[in-house]
């Protein structure tokens, strides 16, 4: 079954394909499906924004659509950047590196023991016949004082994942797919969507 990902982010699509392909789902990007909508993410939670994106794409193409809304939540910053992770720092921060610099600047006086954080991912799938599945995954960690590793994307170089014992940027993609917030959300999603069964649950 074809499922349209409400994104053109190659990293997200690769992670979803790697896991969902085992369940008979062919995940394609908006661009591959000929969908060009860019819904405004007006929600204040990951759940709200994930649903906004999935519904917009499903309505535009008439196919099942899946959306991920994810971000970093830092305890010392009262949960920032949260749902604004991709836009953190405003228009002056145009790259992942800019946003990391902005984050580290805000945390420069925060000691190591107070730099706890978590990555959060919420995955929502909606179908034209009204089915809706929502799953959330979280990965605990803390923010380092400097970058480590050359892989990953976003805040990966400064996020030290407790379960992995290193930053996300130091993990190979297949390793990250075992421990990341998105991997955890996907496992929860698969359990809700399929249980011990396969694709027919969504058809």
């Amino acid at each position: 079954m074809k499922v349209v990902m409400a994104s053109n982010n190659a990293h997200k699509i690769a992670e979803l394909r790697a896991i969902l392909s085992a369940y008979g789902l062919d995940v394609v990007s908006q661009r591959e499906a000929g969908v060009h909508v860019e819904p405004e993410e007006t929600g204040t939670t990951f759940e709200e924004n994930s649903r906004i994106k999935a519904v917009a794409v499903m309505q535009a193409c008439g196919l099942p659509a899946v959306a991920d809304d994810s971000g970093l939540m830092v305890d010392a910053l009262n949960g920032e950047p949260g749902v604004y992770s991709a836009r953190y720092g405003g228009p002056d921060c145009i790259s992942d590196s800019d946003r990391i610099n902005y984050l580290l600047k805000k945390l420069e006086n925060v000691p190591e023991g107070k730099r706890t954080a978590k990555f959060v991912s919420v995955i929502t799938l909606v179908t034209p016949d009204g089915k809706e599945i929502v799953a959330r995954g979280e990965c605990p960690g803390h923010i380092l004082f400097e970058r480590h590793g050359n892989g990953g994307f976003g805040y990966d170089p400064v996020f030290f994942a407790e379960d992995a014992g290193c930053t996300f940027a130091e993990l190979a993609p297949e390793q990250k797919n075992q421990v990341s917030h998105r991997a955890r959300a996907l496992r929860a999603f698969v359990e809700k969507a399929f249980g011990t069964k396969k694709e027919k649950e969504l058809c």
Side-chain angles (χ1 to χ4, degrees), residues 10-200:
H11 299 289
K12 287 187 177 184
I13 294 165
E15 288 186 11
L16 263 72
R17 277 178 175 157
I19 295 177
L20 295 183
S21 61
Y23 292 85
L25 299 185
D26 177 19
V27 180
V28 300
S29 69
Q30 287 185 214
R31 186 178 297 110
E32 291 169 326
V35 178
H36 304 289
V37 297
E38 292 291 341
E40 187 176 356
E41 297 177 31
T42 56
T44 58
T45 67
F46 296 112
E47 283 82 2
E48 289 173 353
N49 283 335
S50 179
R51 188 178 189 278
I52 286 170
K53 291 185 284 188
V55 169
V57 169
M58 182 271 292
Q59 291 177 341
C61 66
L63 293 170
V66 63
D68 162 79
D69 198 62
S70 54
L72 178 68
M73 300 184 72
V74 180
D75 294 326
L77 300 177
N78 297 315
E80 289 185 10
V83 296
Y84 306 106
S85 292
R87 296 163 278 170
Y88 201 42
D92 291 334
C93 293
I94 60 175
S95 69
D96 287 345
S97 183
D98 290 340
R99 285 182 280 275
I100 288 175
N101 289 338
Y102 183 77
L103 174 68
L104 293 180
K105 179 68 175 177
K106 295 198 74 169
L107 291 173
E108 64 180 348
N109 295 319
V110 178
E112 183 173 356
K114 301 290 187 181
R115 299 170 75 91
T116 53
K118 63 183 177 182
F119 264 124
V120 177
S121 170
V122 173
I123 292 174
T124 301
L125 181 138
V126 295
T127 66
D129 62 356
K131 289 188 176 69
E132 185 171 320
I133 300 171
V134 182
R136 182 183 178 104
E138 298 184 0
C139 183
H142 63 267
I143 305 301
L144 300 180
F145 290 88
E146 58 186 22
R147 294 165 172 80
H148 287 269
N150 299 312
F153 61 99
Y155 301 95
D156 286 359
V158 293
F159 180 79
F160 185 94
E162 305 294 352
D163 293 344
C166 61
T167 69
F168 275 173
E170 294 176 285
L171 295 173
E174 60 271 17
Q175 293 174 308
K176 182 183 175 185
N177 283 348
Q178 295 299 313
V179 299
S180 76
H181 51 303
R182 191 167 296 113
R184 294 170 195 231
L186 277 169
R187 283 195 289 270
F189 170 83
V190 165
E191 184 173 344
K192 286 185 176 184
F194 305 106
T196 58
K197 299 179 182 180
K198 295 263 182 170
E199 182 180 341
K200 64 181 181 180

